[in-house]
Amino acid sequence: MLKKLSAEQLERLLEAGVEEFALHGSAGANMRAIAERAGISVGALYKYYDGKDGFFRACLGRSLEALEAVLAEVTAEEAGFKEYARRIIRALLRFSREHAGYVRLYCTLAASGGEEAVKLAGEIEGITARLYTRYIAAGQAGGDLRRDMEPGMFAFFFDSLLMMVQFAGCCDYYRERFRLYCGGNPEDQPDRLERELLKFYESAFTFEEADVSHRETV
Amino acid sequence: MLKKLSAEQLERLLEAGVEEFALHGSAGANMRAIAERAGISVGALYKYYDGKDGFFRACLGRSLEALEAVLAEVTAEEAGFKEYARRIIRALLRFSREHAGYVRLYCTLAASGGEEAVKLAGEIEGITARLYTRYIAAGQAGGDLRRDMEPGMFAFFFDSLLMMVQFAGCCDYYRERFRLYCGGNPEDQPDRLERELLKFYESAFTFEEADVSHRETV
Amino acid sequence: MLKKLSAEQLERLLEAGVEEFALHGSAGANMRAIAERAGISVGALYKYYDGKDGFFRACLGRSLEALEAVLAEVTAEEAGFKEYARRIIRALLRFSREHAGYVRLYCTLAASGGEEAVKLAGEIEGITARLYTRYIAAGQAGGDLRRDMEPGMFAFFFDSLLMMVQFAGCCDYYRERFRLYCGGNPEDQPDRLERELLKFYESAFTFEEADVSHRETV
Amino acid sequence: MLKKLSAEQLERLLEAGVEEFALHGSAGANMRAIAERAGISVGALYKYYDGKDGFFRACLGRSLEALEAVLAEVTAEEAGFKEYARRIIRALLRFSREHAGYVRLYCTLAASGGEEAVKLAGEIEGITARLYTRYIAAGQAGGDLRRDMEPGMFAFFFDSLLMMVQFAGCCDYYRERFRLYCGGNPEDQPDRLERELLKFYESAFTFEEADVSHRETV
DNA sequence: TATGAATGAGATTTCATTCAT
DNA sequence: TATGAATGAAATCTCATTCAT
């Protein structure tokens, strides 16, 4: 890696890459278009990155770093489940507003197949998987969360909805889908989304068979 | 092989297309590779479909039809919420086992952007969006489901988890992600997945603030 | 050459070929389009003619035969120069009205290069070249036509104008060119064209230096 | 050879295109062959021109510009009819010797049909049509040219012969045709051709009915 | 060193020709 | 025998990558 591209230029380059890859996929992206969008020459792009694949991975890395940073920041502080969930929801909604390209790229990556995708899944999802699962298990141990659930499974459901909400804020298809179900866009009604999602989570995670044994299951 | 393309060959062609598009995306797919995979000539492929885009849409159409057929079949019969959900879960798990390619293509489409994706979202998701939302609203009216939720939003959550479970059964990234959270693959433990997901749904959808007012919210 | 295509079908085939070749040139013509236009199968086309080139030559032959037939008919009768010219003009104008495709194909052929074209030029133009040249020489010997001209050259000029008039009646470019010079289309004003062309010919062919020695040459 | 395309190479590219299009027509020309003939890569060809059609038009444009330049130069100076005609004949004969490819392409274009050809006819022929017609009308007004002719028609005849002479110098078919009528090639005997053509023109344009009323019309 | 034009392999697409039916 | 779908070579065109300037 040479050192002559200014930090700002590198920034622009990665942003351009993220956007182009998110828009057209790894195969459909156009290296020349990326360079132009970033205002640098293709030659420079190839000096700094090792071909299209290498650059794609760099863009991906960039996106995932940013995502992880947000999550790390949010999950650093201890909090009760509801508050914890609220913070994550808010952070991710803000993230998809501010870094739509990153989320789009993440979505594109997740849809792509192959060894590479598997490897990246391990790197990216491993952290949150462990984090959420442990947190839920701790909640169970502490008596705050229902005991008749598998922490891993419920962590999976928890994270899945967060992913979907993010995609709904950034990716055309998921955005339209959200409109059909809920009306409007996620970023225009963060409070409503937060409220309903929290409600959903709260009861799913705290409900106990025993508490409702008198009710007729539907 | 100069025989007329048999129905089976045409079938193979679409399957090959579904697989290739699912694997490499719309841009990355290779028409020659598709023809070879199906064992026919490129010329024949172009005789039956109008270019790459046209063929892509045909593959998409086939995938979505199959998906809709399954959902239509399952949702035709009336049932209580839990039974209804159970059937859908089972049907979709079976579908992703038997038609992994269709689901992969659906996932690829959802990740792609553009007008086309938006239009397709409307066609594909509109049906389930209305279906689920109405079903939930009916459940509320009948007293089976909690009243303090927005039917649309909760339908969105409901469907989102189903999507994720399907993707986890078919797409490399989502599959790996599932392993990290839950261990193993969805299709190898359908009962476990069904049980936990139903548990999650049941409490999320039937919980009522009033019932648990004595509990400390976590 | 097999015998099963009816005369009418063969007719249609050649007509279709003439039109297609005239329209798109030898390289641009589409064999399938020709077969379709003629209402027969491509297989039959290939049974009767040996590939594209062979069929092209057949179409050409057809056109040239028709052209020669017209000229042969007209030049069979003896007549004075002016009457002779008048007849040819009229015959060719009618021919280009009734067989525009033949003339177009002739024009296309003449524009194409290569050995083939040279060979065909010999076959096609040889006849008229000899005919006109001899006629003019005879006119000179008989005292009807000026003596200070080379019969071959003047025959060339004579024929060249006839070609142009024909092209003007059938080929888009030449037709537009005619409109710019003369206004209207040749076939809509055959009398005017005949009159002026005859005037042109008459003076060109009968003028004698001696007769006008007293005039200042311009 | 990774140097920037030199002016000379660009020149060669157009020349190669003119030659290839002239030889095989617009449909039959081969872009790869053109690039090879010019010694550049196909990629470069496509960087400079917008597809086959765009490049064809560029080649055409170059040919027609050159033709117009020659005519403009020649017709700039005033002169009596005979001198004027002599100059044009000479200029065009030289032009077809030096730029055979341009003339061939012009001939190919004229034989091709379609809207495009009509439009180009308007652009190309319009200039000479007006020029010649006005010149002839002026000659009539000044008493130098016969009054019993339509200037437009005679201008058409005038130009038609010039076209044919040019084609005879460059296009295989027309060249062979010339040999049949006149013997030899136009460019090998420019003086003879000039002399005879002038003779033809002179009498055609200056003949007056009145002058020869005593002669028996042939 | 940074540039971006040139390269050319490889993709999409067409269409003359074949041959099973 | 006549058909016309299937073939696949060859055409057009794109774009990741190189490298002379």
Side-chain angles (χ1 to χ4, degrees):
Chain A
M1 293 251 186
L2 306 177
K3 287 278 165 55
K4 269 300 171 52
L5 278 193
S6 68
E8 192 211 347
Q9 278 177 310
L10 257 168
E11 187 78 7
R12 279 214 309 272
L13 195 52
L14 282 170
E15 291 298 330
V18 164
E19 205 48 47
E20 178 83 5
F21 282 123
L23 225 53
H24 302 108
S26 160
N30 182 319
M31 293 297 271
R32 189 142 74 84
I34 292 170
E36 263 164 24
R37 200 196 279 242
I40 69 152
S41 68
V42 265
L45 173 47
Y46 275 85
K47 276 275 193 320
Y48 283 82
Y49 296 99
D50 185 18
K52 198 187 199 185
D53 274 14
F55 181 57
F56 177 64
R57 272 190 290 275
C59 292
L60 215 50
R62 158 94 169 184
S63 295
L64 301 175
E65 268 170 33
L67 222 131
E68 280 170 21
V70 165
L71 282 176
E73 191 190 309
V74 163
T75 56
E77 276 184 74
E78 288 286 310
F81 175 77
K82 194 170 181 178
E83 180 53 26
Y84 186 82
R86 186 198 316 278
R87 279 193 209 147
I88 295 179
I89 293 168
R90 282 188 188 169
L92 291 180
L93 280 176
R94 181 155 44 79
F95 187 76
S96 43
R97 258 201 318 280
E98 289 170 8
H99 299 288
Y102 293 173
V103 175
R104 270 199 287 274
L105 187 52
Y106 173 37
C107 178
T108 299
L109 161 71
S112 85
E115 288 295 316
E116 190 75 3
V118 171
K119 205 171 126 264
L120 281 163
E123 291 174 18
I124 300 160
E125 306 284 341
I127 299 164
T128 43
R130 279 189 297 273
L131 190 73
Y132 295 158
T133 304
R134 266 194 239 124
Y135 188 86
I136 289 170
Q140 287 181 309
D144 290 334
L145 301 184
R146 65 194 290 185
R147 294 204 168 81
D148 66 331
M149 66 170 166
E150 289 191 31
M153 278 280 183
F154 272 56
F156 174 74
F157 302 147
F158 178 75
D159 187 57
S160 293
L161 290 176
L162 292 175
M163 272 182 84
M164 279 298 187
V165 166
Q166 277 196 286
F167 290 175
C170 303
C171 310
D172 291 343
Y173 185 98
Y174 291 100
R175 161 175 298 261
E176 181 65 16
R177 179 171 166 271
F178 183 87
R179 298 167 63 95
L180 290 167
Y181 275 98
C182 313
N185 296 324
E187 68 269 25
D188 300 331
Q189 37 189 343
D191 295 339
R192 178 183 164 218
L193 186 50
E194 180 190 317
R195 185 184 66 235
E196 294 297 314
L197 188 48
L198 275 180
K199 216 184 288 173
F200 191 83
Y201 279 154
E202 190 178 19
S203 41
F205 279 93
T206 58
F207 189 94
E208 290 255 15
E209 291 284 328
D211 290 2
V212 291
S213 53
H214 62 281
R215 293 171 88 257
E216 293 161 76
T217 339
V218 274
Chain B
M1 216 182 293
L2 285 198
K3 282 171 158 161
K4 219 167 280 194
L5 239 56
S6 63
E8 192 211 344
Q9 278 178 307
L10 270 172
E11 191 76 9
R12 275 221 305 277
L13 190 53
L14 277 172
E15 292 299 331
V18 165
E19 206 48 48
E20 176 84 3
F21 283 124
L23 223 52
H24 301 108
S26 160
N30 183 320
M31 294 297 272
R32 188 136 71 82
I34 291 170
E36 265 165 24
R37 198 197 279 242
I40 66 153
S41 68
V42 263
L45 172 45
Y46 276 88
K47 175 153 302 191
Y48 284 87
Y49 297 98
D50 185 18
K52 197 187 198 184
D53 270 18
F55 182 57
F56 176 66
R57 271 192 289 273
C59 291
L60 214 50
R62 142 153 298 221
S63 294
L64 301 174
E65 268 171 32
L67 222 132
E68 278 170 23
V70 165
L71 280 176
E73 192 190 308
V74 163
T75 55
E77 277 182 78
E78 288 285 310
F81 175 76
K82 195 172 180 177
E83 181 53 26
Y84 186 82
R86 186 196 317 279
R87 280 193 208 145
I88 295 179
I89 293 168
R90 281 188 188 169
L92 292 180
L93 280 176
R94 181 156 43 81
F95 186 77
S96 42
R97 252 199 322 279
E98 290 170 7
H99 300 288
Y102 294 174
V103 176
R104 270 200 287 274
L105 188 50
Y106 172 37
C107 177
T108 299
L109 159 72
S112 84
E115 287 295 318
E116 188 77 3
V118 170
K119 206 172 125 266
L120 281 163
E123 291 173 20
I124 300 160
E125 307 284 342
I127 300 164
T128 44
R130 278 188 297 274
L131 190 75
Y132 295 157
T133 303
R134 266 195 237 122
Y135 188 87
I136 290 169
Q140 287 182 311
D144 289 333
L145 300 184
R146 65 193 290 186
R147 293 203 168 81
D148 66 331
M149 64 171 167
E150 291 190 30
M153 277 280 182
F154 272 55
F156 174 74
F157 302 146
F158 178 76
D159 187 60
S160 293
L161 290 176
L162 291 174
M163 272 182 84
M164 278 298 186
V165 166
Q166 279 197 286
F167 289 176
C170 303
C171 311
D172 291 343
Y173 186 99
Y174 291 99
R175 162 176 298 262
E176 181 64 16
R177 176 172 167 271
F178 183 86
R179 296 166 65 94
L180 291 167
Y181 274 98
C182 313
N185 297 324
E187 68 270 24
D188 300 331
Q189 39 191 339
D191 295 339
R192 178 183 163 216
L193 187 49
E194 179 190 318
R195 185 185 65 236
E196 294 297 314
L197 188 48
L198 276 180
K199 216 184 288 172
F200 191 84
Y201 279 153
E202 190 179 20
S203 41
F205 280 93
T206 58
F207 189 96
E208 287 255 13
E209 290 284 331
D211 288 2
V212 291
S213 52
H214 62 281
R215 293 172 88 261
E216 294 160 73
T217 340
V218 274
Chain C
M1 292 252 185
L2 306 174
K3 289 275 163 57
K4 269 300 171 50
L5 277 192
S6 68
E8 191 210 347
Q9 278 178 311
L10 258 168
E11 187 79 7
R12 278 216 308 275
L13 195 52
L14 282 170
E15 290 298 329
V18 164
E19 204 48 47
E20 177 84 3
F21 283 122
L23 224 52
H24 301 108
S26 161
N30 183 320
M31 293 296 273
R32 189 143 73 82
I34 291 170
E36 264 165 24
R37 201 196 277 243
I40 70 150
S41 68
V42 265
L45 173 46
Y46 275 86
K47 275 273 194 320
Y48 284 82
Y49 295 99
D50 183 21
K52 199 187 199 183
D53 274 14
F55 181 57
F56 177 65
R57 270 189 292 273
C59 292
L60 214 50
R62 158 92 169 184
S63 295
L64 301 175
E65 269 171 32
L67 223 130
E68 279 169 23
V70 165
L71 281 177
E73 192 189 310
V74 163
T75 55
E77 278 182 74
E78 288 286 311
F81 175 78
K82 194 171 181 179
E83 181 53 26
Y84 187 82
R86 185 198 315 278
R87 281 194 208 146
I88 294 179
I89 293 169
R90 280 187 188 170
L92 291 180
L93 281 176
R94 180 154 44 79
F95 186 76
S96 42
R97 255 201 319 280
E98 289 168 11
H99 300 286
Y102 295 173
V103 175
R104 270 200 287 274
L105 187 51
Y106 173 37
C107 178
T108 299
L109 159 73
S112 84
E115 286 295 316
E116 189 77 4
V118 171
K119 205 171 125 265
L120 280 162
E123 291 174 19
I124 301 160
E125 307 285 341
I127 300 164
T128 42
R130 276 187 299 273
L131 189 74
Y132 294 158
T133 304
R134 264 194 241 123
Y135 188 85
I136 289 170
Q140 288 181 310
D144 289 334
L145 300 185
R146 65 194 288 187
R147 294 201 167 84
D148 65 334
M149 65 171 164
E150 291 190 29
M153 279 279 182
F154 272 55
F156 174 74
F157 302 147
F158 178 75
D159 187 58
S160 292
L161 289 176
L162 291 175
M163 272 181 84
M164 280 298 186
V165 165
Q166 277 197 285
F167 290 175
C170 303
C171 310
D172 292 343
Y173 185 98
Y174 291 100
R175 161 175 298 263
E176 181 65 16
R177 177 170 167 273
F178 184 86
R179 296 168 65 94
L180 291 167
Y181 274 97
C182 313
N185 297 324
E187 69 269 24
D188 300 332
Q189 39 190 340
D191 295 340
R192 177 183 164 218
L193 187 50
E194 180 189 316
R195 185 185 66 235
E196 294 296 314
L197 187 49
L198 276 180
K199 214 183 291 174
F200 191 83
Y201 279 154
E202 189 179 20
S203 41
F205 280 93
T206 58
F207 188 94
E208 288 252 19
E209 291 284 329
D211 289 4
V212 292
S213 51
H214 61 283
R215 294 172 85 260
E216 292 163 74
T217 338
V218 273
Chain D
M1 217 182 292
L2 284 197
K3 280 171 162 162
K4 216 167 284 194
L5 241 56
S6 62
E8 191 212 345
Q9 277 178 308
L10 272 170
E11 191 76 10
R12 275 220 305 277
L13 189 54
L14 278 172
E15 292 299 330
V18 164
E19 204 48 44
E20 177 84 4
F21 283 122
L23 222 52
H24 302 106
S26 160
N30 183 320
M31 293 297 271
R32 189 134 72 81
I34 291 170
E36 265 164 24
R37 197 196 280 242
I40 66 153
S41 67
V42 260
L45 172 45
Y46 277 89
K47 176 154 302 189
Y48 284 87
Y49 298 98
D50 187 17
K52 199 187 196 183
D53 272 18
F55 182 57
F56 176 65
R57 271 191 289 274
C59 291
L60 214 51
R62 142 153 296 222
S63 294
L64 301 175
E65 269 171 30
L67 222 130
E68 280 169 22
V70 165
L71 281 176
E73 193 190 308
V74 163
T75 55
E77 277 182 76
E78 289 284 312
F81 175 77
K82 194 171 181 179
E83 179 53 25
Y84 186 81
R86 185 198 316 276
R87 278 192 210 148
I88 294 179
I89 293 168
R90 281 188 187 169
L92 291 181
L93 281 177
R94 182 154 44 79
F95 186 76
S96 42
R97 255 200 321 277
E98 290 169 8
H99 299 288
Y102 294 173
V103 176
R104 269 198 287 274
L105 188 52
Y106 172 38
C107 177
T108 299
L109 159 73
S112 84
E115 287 293 319
E116 189 77 4
V118 171
K119 208 172 124 264
L120 280 162
E123 291 174 19
I124 300 160
E125 307 285 342
I127 300 165
T128 42
R130 277 189 297 274
L131 189 75
Y132 295 158
T133 305
R134 264 194 240 123
Y135 189 85
I136 290 170
Q140 288 182 309
D144 289 333
L145 300 185
R146 67 196 285 186
R147 292 204 167 81
D148 65 333
M149 64 171 166
E150 291 191 28
M153 278 280 181
F154 272 55
F156 174 72
F157 302 146
F158 178 75
D159 187 58
S160 292
L161 290 176
L162 292 175
M163 271 182 86
M164 279 298 186
V165 165
Q166 277 196 285
F167 290 176
C170 304
C171 310
D172 291 343
Y173 185 97
Y174 291 99
R175 161 176 299 261
E176 182 64 17
R177 179 172 166 269
F178 183 86
R179 295 166 65 94
L180 292 166
Y181 274 97
C182 312
N185 297 324
E187 68 268 27
D188 300 332
Q189 38 190 339
D191 294 340
R192 177 182 165 219
L193 186 49
E194 179 190 317
R195 184 187 64 237
E196 293 297 314
L197 187 49
L198 275 181
K199 217 184 286 173
F200 191 83
Y201 279 152
E202 190 180 18
S203 41
F205 280 94
T206 58
F207 189 94
E208 289 256 15
E209 291 283 331
D211 289 2
V212 290
S213 50
H214 62 281
R215 294 170 88 259
E216 292 161 76
T217 337
V218 273

